Amino acid sequence: MPEQPPYLRIADVLRQRIAEHEWTAGDRLPSRAQIAEECGVGENVVRRAQELLISQGVLEGRAGSGTYVAEPRRRTRVVRSSAREQPDGSPFRADMRALGKQGNWESRTEAKVPAPAEIATRLGIAEADLCVRTVYEFLGDGRPVQLSTSWEPYALTGGTLVVLPEGGPHAGAGVVNRMAAIGISVSPAVEQPEPRQATAEEASLLGIQKASLVTHIRRTYYSDEGRPVETADIVIPAALCEIVYEIPIGR
């Protein structure tokens, strides 16, 4: 069995010292130099260990002040299920209500944006074909919960009342309900989740440390005929949210 990287060993040491209440929530940790000397490693090893624990919500970094034991907080439950599209409301708001939170979102839409190569492949269109792109910031009690960037082929919705996902009579109704309004029945949705580190921009928007762990979900909705009608990149911070999948069972 390969030897454990030094930074993971130091992360385990720090985690154990917190579990044994040597340091409690709100306590400032000793300097990296001091921890490095105590553990017989370099400061860069301690830095990587602390960055890992910060990404997991165990520690909290404060610019110009140091590293502290994070206050325990309940992770927000984020439910993923295509069955949760609702004709009279938002599944995200329903999830937030179940947690006693006020769910909302902010969005910014741009029409006629050329599709990048990866998005074109996911939508089954040519690269640089025009799309409607909408960037979302989802909030629970005013705090960021997740980010999403949605792409829809302009050729599909252009000139209709649903061309703007957050504008017109069907604003905020969700992909399934909006497409139904123009006669397109959407049934399958495919999601591909994978862990990665947050970019600097994502970290800033989500209020987390740069390079913190996030779950990146590539989601695509398809019409009954198998045509992709929307694809999105959803980013959820691992330390703040737990992802739950509901699997509908046919009878």
Side-chain angles (χ1 to χ4, degrees), residues 132-241:
V132 177
R133 179 179 65 193
T134 305
V135 178
Y136 293 91
E137 296 177 41
F138 290 90
L139 310 170
D141 283 349
R143 291 179 175 272
V145 174
Q146 68 185 54
L147 307 174
S148 178
T149 301
S150 166
W151 298 79
E152 296 178 356
Y154 184 77
L156 189 66
T157 61
T160 74
L161 293 176
V162 301
V163 64
L164 301 178
E166 299 298 322
H170 302 283
V175 175
V176 174
N177 298 318
R178 288 176 47 251
M179 293 299 165
I182 57 173
I184 298 174
S185 178
V186 176
S187 51
V190 176
E191 295 197 342
Q192 298 172 277
E194 65 177 8
R196 64 167 172 79
Q197 293 181 315
T199 66
E201 181 181 8
E202 290 166 348
S204 177
L205 290 171
L206 290 167
I208 59 178
Q209 294 289 321
K210 182 180 177 182
S212 292
L213 291 178
V214 297
T215 301
H216 177 189
I217 301 173
R218 293 177 177 87
R219 180 200 67 204
T220 303
Y221 279 107
Y222 295 85
S223 71
D224 286 348
E225 291 74 32
R227 176 182 181 177
V229 298
E230 186 262 8
T231 194
D233 290 287
I234 301 164
V235 178
I236 300 174
L240 304 181
C241 301

Side-chain angles (χ1 to χ4, degrees), residues 13-36:
V13 169
L14 298 179
R15 195 181 286 109
Q16 183 65 26
R17 293 171 75 173
I18 293 169
E20 293 175 351
H21 304 292
E22 180 176 343
W23 303 315
T24 59
D27 284 351
R28 179 180 174 180
L29 268 61
S31 68
R32 286 177 184 163
Q34 183 176 338
I35 295 174

Side-chain angles (χ1 to χ4, degrees), residues 2 27 56 60 63 67 71 109-110 122 143 170 192 210:
D27 284 351
Q56 295 173 345
E60 175 186 348
T67 304
E71 295 284 347
T109 296
E110 297 175 81
R122 285 156 58 177
R143 291 179 175 272
H170 302 283
Q192 298 172 277
K210 182 180 177 182

